[in-house]
Amino acid sequence: MSFVISAPPVPTVPVTTGGEFPVHRIYCVGRNYAEHAREMGHSDREPPFFFMKPADAVLPVARGQTGAMVYPALTSNLHHEVELVVAIGRGGRDIAVADAPGHVWGYAVGLDMTRRDLQGEMKKQGRPWCIGKAFEQSAPIGPLHPVAGTGWLERGGITLAVNGELRQRGDLSELIWNVAEVIAELSRAWELQPGDLIYTGTPAGVGAVVRGDVMEAAIDGLGTLRVAVA
Ligand code: MN
């Protein structure tokens, strides 16, 4: 095939055991921890809902490194959301909850960075969230841990500190819709593909960062993702 412009590179995420995981799509789950749903002004359990980021929104950070995120344009309220990221290794449609674990390739710590002021404005007007959620470097991610090494993750602390001060704390067991349920529900709407990443939602305590801040996102068993805001 001859491309008429140079083909863009495939976005990838490093793997703890070596090699790179190529990213196909990034799905995100909204309001998936009860306390965070409440802090965003919602009280009832509702069906999971989804939004997407472009694959090249990943900001991959190798183990032991500190990622550099450039403070994005148009916002004065850039929020952190620490999330468990699930990497899909086997695709499918209408995946049953019981079969979902067989589709998971691995896990990582991720940040769903959000231009909260722009997202809020779009919400108010009933418009799409893209400008608030789907911008460059909006999906920092640590190295992927193959599920073969971690086992199926159902519990474990998930935290985020800014400049050493704890801002978010939760436990994976508090997910309103667990990973298997999220995979099942997503696969009813889209055909999941190898290379898909799913950001599974954030616990309470979201807040703003400014230039110069250093975020440390951690999940038990998956290490720490460090990102500096430049
Ligand atoms: Mn989120």
Side-chain angles (χ1 to χ4, degrees):
M1 188 182 309
S2 70
F3 295 115
V4 297
I5 57 168
S6 53
V10 176
T12 64
V13 177
V15 174
T16 53
T17 49
E20 295 279 328
F21 182 90
V23 181
H24 174 249
R25 288 182 184 166
I26 304 174
Y27 296 100
C28 302
V29 187
R31 296 195 288 267
N32 203 16
Y33 287 81
E35 218 180 304
H36 172 63
R38 281 194 290 276
E39 78 179 347
M40 299 305 284
H42 299 264
S43 55
D44 298 323
R45 191 185 203 230
E46 53 180 14
F49 71 92
F50 308 104
F51 58 91
M52 293 168 81
K53 295 177 188 256
D56 67 354
V58 287
L59 172 61
V61 182
R63 183 150 48 183
Q65 303 293 300
T66 300
M69 177 180 183
V70 177
Y71 196 92
L74 300 182
T75 185
S76 52
N77 197 18
L78 176 65
H79 272 206
H80 53 73
E81 297 190 357
V82 59
E83 310 203 357
L84 171 69
V85 182
V86 176
I88 298 295
R90 190 157 64 84
R93 283 185 199 278
D94 296 323
I95 297 165
V97 170
D99 296 333
H103 294 261
V104 173
W105 194 88
Y107 300 102
V109 182
L111 287 165
D112 166 15
M113 297 304 294
T114 303
R115 294 192 282 207
R116 192 73 74 199
D117 41 2
L118 301 183
Q119 183 201 24
E121 193 55 38
M122 292 298 109
K123 275 187 187 176
K124 206 159 49 184
Q125 298 181 34
R127 291 178 178 172
W129 291 7
C130 309
I131 198 168
K133 287 288 196 180
F135 52 94
E136 292 87 351
Q137 299 188 316
S138 62
I141 185 169
L144 266 179
H145 297 245
V147 70
T150 62
W152 184 245
L153 291 187
E154 285 182 319
R155 52 188 46 79
I158 174 169
T159 59
L160 181 120
V162 178
N163 305 329
E165 180 195 323
L166 190 65
R167 295 267 192 94
Q168 293 188 261
R169 164 177 268 164
D171 194 281
L172 300 180
S173 63
E174 298 160 358
L175 280 168
I176 296 172
W177 299 93
N178 66 34
V179 168
E181 291 168 331
V182 164
I183 289 171
E185 198 66 25
L186 257 181
S187 71
R188 297 174 62 212
W190 292 275
E191 181 174 0
L192 291 180
Q193 302 280 352
D196 287 340
L197 298 178
I198 305 170
Y199 282 61
T200 56
T202 196
V206 299
V209 288
V210 297
R211 288 179 187 81
D213 282 349
V214 176
M215 298 177 283
E216 288 184 308
I219 295 175
D220 288 350
L222 300 179
T224 299
L225 163 65
R226 265 174 71 92
V227 178
V229 184

